[in-house]
Amino acid sequence: MSDQEIGSTTETQSDTAEMAAVGSSKRPRRTRKTTEFYTPAPMKQRKKAGRPKNKKIVKNEKLIETGDKRKAIDVPVGRSKKRKVAEPAGSKRKFDPESDEDEARKKLVKNADLIKVRPVPGKKHVQQGRCFSARYCCFEKCTACLAKKSDKCRFIDIRVFGQRKGKLVYGPEFKSAEGPDPKSTYEIGVSEDEVKNVRVLDLIAPTFMKFLKKELPHLEMAKIRKFPDRNICQLCDSCQTTIFSGYWMCCVCGKEYCLSCYEEWNDSDDSFKEAGRCSHKRRHYKEQLVPIYHYTKEEINRLSDQCNQMILDDEDSSDLDGEELPDDDTANQSVESSEVTQPAESSRVVVRRRQSRTSKKTSFDVEDSAMSVLNQDNGFSTSSQDRHNRTLQLHDEHKKIEYAASEMTEDTFRDLWKRGYPFVIRGADKLEEKIWRPNYFIEHYGDKDCTVIDVKENVEYKMDVKTFFKGFEDISSRFVNKAGICPCLKLKDWPPADDFAETFPEHYKDFYNSLPFKEYTTRSGVLNLAHRLPLEINRPDLGPKMYNAYGSEDNVGGKGTTNLHLDMTDAVNMMAYAPSVENRLEEERDKTAAAVWDLYHPADLPRVRRFLRKIAKEHGLSINHPIHDQCFYLDKELRSRLASEEGVTGWRVFQNPGDVVFVPAGCAHQVCNYTSCVKAAVDFVSPEGVARSYVVNQQFRKLRHGHKRKTDILQLPNILYHAWITSWDESND
């Protein structure tokens, strides 16, 4: 009599029915009974002794597929709690949970046996639904389906199954997409101006080339193509930066990794422990990653040739070299150089050389060598002697930061912007004050809920808009917290999620009509590269937003209104309303302006970072990045120390209603409202600023996992790609 027959002599009627289900094609019902190991006794012993009456036999509720069959093992309650491993069908080997071989096999099961891509037999079937669909639910599931995210399943239209006897066979195997690229629809008039398009190509070519250089080696390995999904922003699951074309996907869970993360991946490095975590907390390895691409090798080569042509032909092309590691304070100053064959001159080059370059004769046309050290600590020694020996920088000569609206020409703007110099325009077109006053928001939006922040204690409060604006000019009407204190409140990024144009249509129209340099600063501006993205793509939210806050202090111990930080995009900020001097609080009336800005050129940031790390150490603070953490406001004492210990003074810009402050990408800044202020601001992506945007993008990807600034919301490589496509005239290719 076999072991199976012995087991059947003692089974109850329900057990027999369950066993019959195991032998059939249907999957047995799962139970919550305990599963443990059991080694059947020899036949003679079992007949003689019999089974104890108090021992209850349960079925193994979790079957493991072995080959084409499944096998369950009878397990008694109250025995060993070690993990069960099923035997191959037909095997007569008795399972020994204490053997070294079985311990190794259990470990492999836990680590998913290092599943790799392998061909599947029979007729191919391409996955058409989500992983939890009835047809695919018994196979490995992608990370998006497991997390029940709203983004598309990672395996739809790419994972392939084989078929045997009418059933799907798991490989896994993957299918390459075929056919032409999906066509993009751009806004009308986005690329009609030939002169402006040439300028865009000149300025973005060096930065775009950095992305293209990474793609070429990947295309030598990648054989699987997948069309990009325009409805989502595809981010690396490790560093949270935008994936442009090439990437690596885990064949088990579908996690996607950018080319930089794959190059840095080390299976023995603990820093990649979370990045290397597969589904169900298993670990996967580089061998399980599949190379995939969006754009063909011919397309990337064509774009590379065009970029090289523009870089070699244009002596005015500017670039920023090097990438900051957030905790790297070592000397590392280098200039990239490459030898590329000179391509044939195109008719586009002739168009470019016919352009008038009046800015070449201005005082700002001197090559700013400081720009090439935007994100490096430049070898400044930590000794006290060298720390004070800051040499004169070219941007130190930039003393004029205030301009009347009549004297700020487009050429002056471009010269300042190319070098990362902030400035303020006085007397610009003022906004319609009545719709920006506190009473207007109380009347029209008073019942809306909002989240405000105590700028001194960094504590959030929930309240309605009426409660916030009632205390804007009347301190007796301000909100009082549980401690009996009236906190200094800030309502920032308002509205936080909705479109400003839909929530505040009157304010949106008034703000955009008053913006200077509309070709750069508005949504439809041809030199705002974010406008070049196709209509089908999920565009980044660049504003506008409102920033409303009570008055604060910047003296010793002052917390300001907005801590020191920097952004990946360019920004323009306009003050819409502030109470007149006679209507301000008594302690606010002696201030020289409604608000003050402190701004620091990108070339000075290595010294600023080093200074802030020292301050953090003095106060026992644990930080990741002294600027991106946004945990410091430099009060009067700290600004004085920064100037004396590091030689960095920056620029102070005072702002009143009607004043417009321009802040370039990568320029660190902080703000202090001397009185209650209503401001509106919008971000934009200029051709002159993409090199700085790229550097900040690389800084963000090096931040720790979970950092609030880590996620890439700009999609810089996609912006550069579509800006290039809409600017290049194929007839001159």
Side-chain angles (χ1 to χ4, degrees):
M1 185 178 293
S2 65
D3 290 346
Q4 186 173 355
E5 292 172 335
I6 294 174
S8 65
T9 61
T10 60
E11 290 172 355
T12 63
Q13 185 176 357
S14 60
D15 290 333
T16 305
E18 187 176 351
M19 196 65 178
V22 174
S24 66
S25 60
K26 295 183 179 180
R27 188 174 182 179
R29 295 179 61 186
R30 294 180 180 269
T31 66
R32 291 186 175 272
K33 300 174 183 178
T34 307
T35 301
E36 299 180 4
F37 296 107
Y38 172 66
T39 303
M43 179 68 65
K44 294 182 179 180
Q45 295 181 15
R46 183 173 294 195
K47 283 184 177 180
K48 182 177 180 180
R51 287 182 176 171
K53 293 183 179 181
N54 60 347
K55 287 288 184 179
K56 183 179 179 180
I57 304 299
V58 298
K59 289 297 170 188
N60 170 31
E61 79 271 22
K62 187 173 182 180
L63 301 178
I64 295 182
E65 188 172 0
T66 56
D68 295 332
K69 300 181 180 179
R70 301 180 183 182
K71 183 175 180 181
I73 302 174
D74 291 349
V75 181
V77 177
R79 294 290 300 274
S80 170
K81 294 184 179 180
K82 293 188 177 181
R83 184 183 177 92
K84 175 272 310 167
V85 177
E87 288 298 316
S91 172
K92 295 183 179 180
R93 172 183 176 274
K94 297 175 183 178
F95 181 76
D96 182 6
E98 301 299 331
S99 69
D100 294 338
E101 180 182 355
D102 288 320
E103 286 290 339
R105 292 177 64 233
K106 287 188 292 180
K107 186 176 181 180
L108 288 175
V109 170
K110 186 176 181 180
N111 289 337
D113 292 311
L114 194 59
I115 300 173
K116 297 181 181 179
V117 175
R118 56 185 178 182
V120 294
K123 187 178 179 181
K124 310 287 184 174
H125 170 81
V126 181
Q127 182 168 333
Q128 298 298 321
R130 296 186 71 92
C131 296
F132 277 103
S133 301
R135 197 167 190 182
Y136 313 113
C137 63
C138 58
F139 302 107
E140 294 286 352
K141 301 169 183 62
C142 76
T143 183
C145 290
L146 287 172
K148 298 181 180 180
K149 293 181 179 179
S150 59
D151 58 325
K152 187 176 179 180
C153 170
R154 305 283 177 91
F155 291 146
I156 288 182
D157 296 331
I158 188 171
R159 187 164 68 171
V160 178
F161 297 92
Q163 299 189 57
R164 180 189 295 142
K165 297 181 180 180
K167 297 182 180 180
L168 297 182
V169 181
Y170 181 73
E173 184 179 342
F174 297 93
K175 171 183 176 293
S176 182
E178 298 177 354
D181 291 336
K183 292 186 177 180
S184 299
T185 305
Y186 300 99
E187 294 188 27
I188 299 175
V190 74
S191 58
E192 294 179 350
D193 193 318
E194 179 72 10
V195 174
K196 289 184 173 63
N197 287 337
V198 171
R199 178 173 180 80
V200 169
L201 295 172
D202 284 343
L203 292 169
I204 73 174
T207 304
F208 189 34
M209 192 63 190
K210 291 183 178 181
F211 290 103
L212 297 175
K213 282 182 178 179
K214 293 182 179 180
E215 300 293 338
L216 292 173
H218 179 76
L219 288 170
E220 299 297 329
M221 300 177 286
K223 305 300 180 185
I224 299 173
R225 186 186 185 195
K226 183 179 181 182
F227 293 132
D229 188 349
R230 299 288 179 83
N231 296 319
I232 62 173
C233 178
Q234 187 181 11
L235 300 178
C236 172
D237 284 309
S238 178
C239 70
Q240 297 296 299
T241 54
T242 300
I243 291 176
F244 170 48
S245 175
Y247 64 99
W248 294 80
M249 183 186 73
C250 173
C251 67
V252 182
C253 67
K255 283 189 176 180
E256 298 166 345
Y257 300 96
C258 68
L259 303 183
S260 297
C261 283
Y262 182 83
E263 293 175 359
E264 299 165 1
W265 191 311
N266 184 352
D267 287 333
S268 61
D269 190 349
D270 290 339
S271 62
F272 287 91
K273 185 176 181 180
E274 290 301 321
R277 191 65 64 188
C278 193
S279 55
H280 304 297
K281 297 183 179 181
R282 299 172 300 190
R283 184 175 183 181
H284 59 207
Y285 302 87
K286 292 182 73 173
E287 292 85 348
Q288 294 176 292
L289 304 185
V290 182
I292 303 178
Y293 66 95
H294 293 319
Y295 302 110
T296 63
K297 185 177 181 179
E298 293 74 19
E299 172 77 353
I300 298 299
N301 278 326
R302 181 178 66 85
L303 294 172
S304 298
D305 292 341
Q306 293 173 359
C307 279
N308 282 328
Q309 180 176 323
M310 298 300 293
I311 293 171
L312 291 173
D313 289 341
D314 183 21
E315 67 277 11
D316 277 351
S317 262
S318 65
D319 192 12
L320 301 178
D321 300 301
E323 301 169 8
E324 177 214 5
L325 301 178
D327 295 316
D328 182 14
D329 291 276
T330 59
N332 182 21
Q333 182 176 359
S334 61
V335 178
E336 292 182 356
S337 61
S338 59
E339 297 181 0
V340 188
T341 305
Q342 174 74 30
E345 184 179 70
S346 66
S347 59
R348 178 171 292 278
V349 178
V350 177
V351 174
R352 185 190 310 108
R353 289 178 177 173
R354 289 175 181 174
Q355 298 179 45
S356 60
R357 299 183 181 271
T358 56
S359 60
K360 292 179 65 176
K361 302 301 181 181
T362 66
S363 60
F364 301 109
D365 196 59
V366 180
E367 182 64 24
D368 190 352
S369 60
M371 302 302 287
S372 65
V373 295
L374 170 68
N375 60 339
Q376 303 170 10
D377 282 347
N378 288 324
F380 296 124
S381 171
T382 57
S383 67
S384 59
Q385 180 180 359
D386 293 334
R387 181 174 298 176
H388 303 290
N389 290 341
R390 177 182 179 274
T391 58
L392 186 66
Q393 304 288 316
L394 289 179
H395 64 268
D396 292 333
E397 300 178 1
H398 174 53
K399 303 297 185 183
K400 183 175 176 57
I401 57 176
E402 298 182 6
Y403 292 84
S406 58
E407 64 178 329
M408 174 55 73
T409 64
E410 188 168 340
D411 287 338
T412 304
F413 168 76
R414 288 174 177 172
D415 289 330
L416 293 170
W417 214 239
K418 185 176 180 180
R419 286 156 181 79
Y421 294 165
F423 59 89
V424 59
I425 298 179
R426 308 283 188 200
D429 293 337
K430 289 190 176 182
L431 301 169
E432 188 178 349
E433 183 179 308
K434 67 177 182 179
I435 66 173
W436 299 91
R437 298 180 67 90
N439 290 338
Y440 184 92
F441 294 113
I442 293 174
E443 179 181 353
H444 293 82
Y445 303 94
D447 296 334
K448 302 289 185 181
D449 294 329
C450 63
T451 301
V452 297
I453 303 173
D454 181 353
V455 299
K456 295 182 179 180
E457 303 298 334
N458 196 28
V459 177
E460 291 186 352
Y461 297 97
K462 302 286 186 180
M463 62 180 63
D464 56 29
V465 172
K466 180 179 180 180
T467 302
F468 172 76
F469 276 105
K470 280 179 64 178
F472 216 65
E473 298 173 302
D474 183 5
I475 194 171
S476 63
S477 301
R478 288 186 177 179
F479 164 78
V480 180
N481 61 20
K482 294 181 180 180
I485 299 174
C486 296
C488 181
L489 299 180
K490 174 174 64 174
L491 174 58
K492 71 169 189 174
D493 294 329
W494 192 41
D498 298 331
D499 186 0
F500 189 93
E502 296 178 0
T503 306
F504 305 110
E506 289 182 284
H507 302 79
Y508 176 82
K509 181 179 179 181
D510 189 37
F511 176 68
Y512 266 66
N513 288 338
S514 301
L515 281 175
F517 307 115
K518 291 180 172 56
E519 288 187 331
Y520 284 88
T521 57
T522 62
R523 291 181 178 180
S524 58
V526 296
L527 294 177
N528 181 4
L529 301 187
H531 171 61
R532 304 292 184 110
L533 289 171
L535 299 176
E536 304 88 358
I537 205 167
N538 186 14
R539 296 187 176 189
D541 181 13
L542 301 181
K545 301 287 185 182
M546 256 192 285
Y547 299 84
N548 313 311
Y550 299 166
S552 186
E553 287 289 337
D554 67 339
N555 291 324
V556 177
K559 299 296 184 180
T561 303
T562 302
N563 287 347
L564 186 70
H565 69 286
L566 59 85
D567 298 307
M568 196 187 304
T569 58
D570 306 299
V572 53
N573 183 293
M574 181 181 295
M575 184 176 291
Y577 173 80
S580 58
V581 176
E582 58 272 14
N583 291 329
R584 296 178 187 176
L585 302 180
E586 184 176 351
E587 62 270 18
E588 298 173 350
R589 294 174 183 174
D590 60 343
K591 301 296 184 181
T592 56
V596 62
W597 295 60
D598 294 290
L599 306 106
Y600 300 92
H601 191 269
D604 282 332
L605 297 190
R607 287 179 174 269
V608 175
R609 291 194 304 271
R610 184 174 64 187
F611 173 75
L612 293 179
R613 288 191 181 102
K614 181 172 64 175
I615 299 301
K617 187 176 181 180
E618 291 176 0
H619 291 80
L621 300 177
S622 176
I623 60 174
N624 182 205
H625 193 288
I627 296 178
H628 300 325
D629 287 2
Q630 300 185 34
C631 56
F632 292 102
Y633 179 83
L634 302 181
D635 61 12
K636 184 176 182 180
E637 179 183 0
L638 291 179
R639 293 195 304 273
S640 177
R641 286 186 58 182
L642 177 63
S644 61
E645 297 176 20
E646 296 290 353
V648 176
T649 56
W651 298 284
R652 297 215 92 190
V653 174
F654 295 96
Q655 186 182 25
N656 286 302
D659 293 344
V660 185
V661 178
F662 279 80
V663 184
C667 181
H669 55 283
Q670 63 178 22
V671 186
C672 178
N673 289 357
Y674 286 145
T675 185
S676 297
C677 299
V678 175
K679 304 176 188 177
V682 66
D683 297 336
F684 60 97
V685 183
S686 67
E688 292 84 355
V690 294
R692 292 184 293 273
S693 297
Y694 174 82
V695 172
V696 179
N697 174 268
Q698 297 305 302
Q699 294 176 13
F700 285 175
R701 76 171 292 270
K702 287 295 184 180
L703 297 174
R704 66 173 182 267
H705 289 279
H707 196 284
K708 60 183 178 181
R709 302 299 302 273
K710 189 173 181 66
T711 302
D712 180 10
I713 60 174
L714 182 60
Q715 309 177 45
L716 181 61
N718 291 336
I719 289 176
L720 294 177
Y721 171 76
H722 291 287
W724 192 274
I725 294 298
T726 55
S727 298
W728 187 272
D729 184 0
E730 294 295 338
S731 64
N732 289 328
D733 191 355

